[in-house]
Amino acid sequence: MIAHQHDDFAGRVAIVTGAGSGIGRATAHTFARAGAHVLAVGRRTDALAETASAHPGIVTYSADLRAPDTPREVTDAAIGRWGRVDVLVNNAGATQVMPLDATTADGISALFDLNVTAPSLLANAALPHLRRVRGTIVNVSSTYGHRPLPGAAHYAASKAALEQLTRSWAVELAADGIRVNALAPGPTESEALAAAGLSEAAIEQIKQDEAARIPLGRRGEPDEVAAWILRLADPATTWLTGQVLTIDGGLELT
Ligand SMILES: NC(=O)c1ccc[n+]([C@@H]2O[C@H](COP(=O)([O-])OP(=O)(O)OC[C@H]3O[C@@H](n4cnc5c(N)ncnc54)[C@H](OP(=O)(O)O)[C@@H]3O)[C@@H](O)[C@H]2O)c1
């Protein structure tokens, strides 16, 4: 576990979506340890409760981010409790194996509703509050947001969209002092492969293949990713905006 020595986030409020597992859970813990109040968002109340049990600074909010009213309700919950939103971490996302010959409209919509529309509507709902405090947005993309992913092209396309939203919002919101960046992790231990409906045997095979292709020789741990999400959001990171930072053990270089 990566410890943080500073409390630069004391009194600040972070919304972290997808906080019931994987990268989102580690991110909620990392921000809470840095002194932030964290609203941990996801669907499963038990998973969120486990996240929150690690730190008193974490409060949970259970909702489906694909529902059109959820983004505003999430933002209202943070404002109702703490009166401000300093950081929005758009982390909730899903992957889907969907080769072109099995591609459906419903399959595309399910991916884009969660990976593109929900982060957009959350950013929209949080915007007036971010403006007030010159806050920041961190979008969680993927190394496959900027490299091909045969067999899961629409996942890659949804993350490419998120990266382009990041760059466009960074310029659009710069005059408000709002920084917008993205973190693009490579294969990281989480519940993502199981959530995609893959069998245990298939997951094990994918993990072995990925580890073999990554120059540093292993998949990442959620804490290793969360540390950089915190750094992108850190108020001390004053002149960085519109960037996509890849954390993938060197996979992108291969
Ligand atoms: N792990 C990797 O290898 C990897 C690599 C690159 C990028 N990423 C990205 O990293 C982010 C986090 O993924 P992860 O790997 O940590 O996977 P994960 O463990 O599956 O976490 C995703 C979280 O999102 C939540 N979520 C899913 N659908 C939701 C919905 N409709 N409404 C609200 N919450 C929802 C899930 O909780 P509920 O099911 O309880 O809602 C879950 O806790 C994703 O954007 C993913 O694309 C992951």
Side-chain angles (χ1 to χ4, degrees):
M1 186 158 293
I2 297 167
H4 293 284
Q5 306 301 322
H6 62 84
D7 61 353
D8 285 356
F9 286 84
R12 297 179 197 266
V13 174
I15 295 173
V16 178
T17 67
S21 60
I23 294 167
R25 171 175 286 172
T27 302
H29 292 167
T30 301
F31 274 85
R33 286 199 302 269
H37 300 293
V38 178
L39 189 68
V41 183
R43 288 171 302 180
R44 290 166 298 159
T45 51
D46 53 340
L48 292 171
E50 203 178 320
T51 299
S53 68
H55 200 288
I58 302 173
V59 169
T60 68
Y61 190 91
S62 172
D64 187 337
L65 284 162
R66 290 169 305 188
D69 293 336
T70 299
R72 190 153 309 279
E73 290 164 1
V74 166
T75 308
D76 287 351
I79 292 299
R81 188 161 188 114
W82 297 296
R84 60 190 289 161
V85 176
D86 297 271
V87 181
L88 169 62
V89 181
N90 277 317
N91 165 75
T95 186
Q96 186 67 52
V97 175
M98 194 166 66
L100 187 54
D101 60 10
T103 294
T104 62
D106 285 350
I108 297 170
S109 297
L111 275 177
F112 275 71
D113 285 355
L114 181 61
N115 294 0
V116 181
T117 306
S120 303
L121 296 182
L122 262 169
N124 165 272
L127 184 55
H129 311 293
L130 293 172
R131 279 195 172 118
R132 213 161 291 137
V133 297
R134 301 171 79 80
T136 190
I137 299 171
V138 181
N139 294 320
V140 179
S141 177
S142 162
T143 192
Y144 295 112
H146 45 270
R147 57 183 286 159
L149 188 56
H154 286 84
Y155 171 73
S158 73
K159 293 302 190 181
L162 194 56
E163 293 187 1
Q164 197 61 329
L165 292 172
T166 300
R167 287 185 277 266
S168 300
W169 292 342
V171 178
E172 188 175 326
L173 304 181
D176 293 312
I178 298 173
R179 296 183 305 106
V180 187
N181 292 288
L183 201 281
T188 305
E189 297 301 334
S190 76
E191 296 179 5
L193 295 174
L198 295 164
S199 69
E200 267 185 42
I203 291 172
E204 203 41 51
Q205 190 60 54
I206 289 171
K207 286 185 174 185
Q208 282 180 20
D209 293 348
E210 286 175 340
R213 280 192 292 123
I214 294 170
L216 285 179
R218 61 174 178 83
R219 290 160 53 85
E221 294 294 334
D223 281 333
E224 295 176 291
V225 176
W228 286 96
I229 294 175
L230 184 85
R231 196 158 296 180
L232 290 180
D234 194 320
T237 304
T238 44
W239 213 37
L240 185 80
T241 197
Q243 299 305 301
V244 178
L245 179 66
T246 301
I247 303 289
D248 68 355
L251 177 63
E252 188 162 83
L253 305 173
T254 64

